Amino acid sequence: MNENEESVRKLIRSNKGLHFIITYSIPPVYIFILFVLQFSEEALPYNYDNYFYLFSTNLSFIILIFGIVSALAIVFTYKYLIPYIQKCEDKSRILTLNLFLIVYGSTLIDVFGLIIGILGYSTYNVIDWFTVIPFIIVGSIYGIYLYRKVIPLSIERYESMVY
C-alpha cells in the first residue's frame, strides 16, 4: 500500500468518525443543555396539564416557521442534495458534500429544537418539552438514516473514484 492510499484511508476514517460524532453525540448534548436550563432555579416547574404551552404564546409563529423550514430541509436533501452527491464527478467534493448533508439535513432540525427550548426558557421561564423533543427526535432519526443508508453509498463511490 502506497502513501496516497494510506492518506485516503485515513481521510475516509476521519470523515466517518466526524459523521458518527455529529449524528450520535450532538442531539444528547442539546437535550443536556435544555435539562440544565430546566433544573435551574429560575425555571418554572413544567405544568403537565398544559401540553404544548409554547403554541399558546407569541412563539407559536416561530415554531410554525421552524417546522416548515425543517420539512423543507428534508425535502431539499432528498430532491436536490442527495441526487447531486450521487452524480458528482469531482471526487474531492464528495466528502465535503456528505458533511454538509449531515449538518444541513439533520443537525439543522436539532438546532431548531434547541432554539425553541432556549426561547421558551428566556421568554416564559419554561421549557416546553412537548414542543422541543419532536424537533430533536426527528432530526436524530433523520441523521441516523442518512448516516446508515445514504453516506455509505457515497463513500463507496468516493473509494471507487480514488482507487
Side-chain angles (χ1 to χ4, degrees):
M1 181 179 318
N2 65 17
E3 187 177 314
N4 187 28
E5 290 177 355
E6 184 62 33
S7 66
V8 167
R9 290 186 194 276
K10 285 182 183 178
L11 180 64
I12 290 173
R13 275 195 308 267
S14 66
N15 201 286
K16 286 180 182 179
L18 186 60
H19 290 149
F20 180 82
I21 289 170
I22 290 172
T23 303
Y24 289 107
S25 68
I26 298 294
V29 168
Y30 293 159
I31 292 173
F32 178 74
I33 290 169
L34 293 175
F35 268 128
V36 168
L37 291 176
Q38 177 71 42
F39 294 112
S40 68
E41 293 181 15
E42 294 91 25
L44 299 173
Y46 189 72
N47 184 2
Y48 292 103
D49 296 331
N50 191 6
Y51 300 123
F52 303 108
Y53 173 75
L54 292 180
F55 279 113
S56 64
T57 64
N58 294 337
L59 296 177
S60 61
F61 181 72
I62 292 174
I63 295 168
L64 180 67
I65 294 298
F66 281 175
I68 291 170
V69 171
S70 298
L72 288 175
I74 292 172
V75 169
F76 176 77
T77 56
Y78 271 106
K79 185 104 172 133
Y80 299 108
L81 194 57
I82 293 173
Y84 180 74
I85 293 171
Q86 292 170 346
K87 293 176 187 175
C88 185
E89 295 297 325
D90 185 9
K91 66 182 178 191
S92 63
R93 292 190 50 147
I94 291 176
L95 296 178
T96 306
L97 288 171
N98 283 338
L99 183 63
F100 180 72
L101 177 67
I102 288 289
V103 170
Y104 179 76
S106 64
T107 307
L108 177 74
I109 301 168
D110 294 336
V111 168
F112 284 159
L114 179 67
I115 291 171
I116 291 169
I118 290 174
L119 284 175
Y121 172 76
S122 65
T123 307
Y124 300 103
N125 289 338
V126 68
I127 295 175
D128 188 2
W129 290 102
F130 291 101
T131 306
V132 171
I133 288 296
F135 281 95
I136 295 176
I137 288 175
V138 168
S140 300
I141 291 172
Y142 188 57
I144 291 169
Y145 172 76
L146 291 174
Y147 177 75
R148 298 274 182 165
K149 300 290 182 182
V150 176
I151 301 295
L153 296 175
S154 59
I155 287 178
E156 287 175 9
R157 188 165 174 271
Y158 174 76
E159 287 175 335
S160 69
M161 291 174 89
V162 171
Y163 296 124

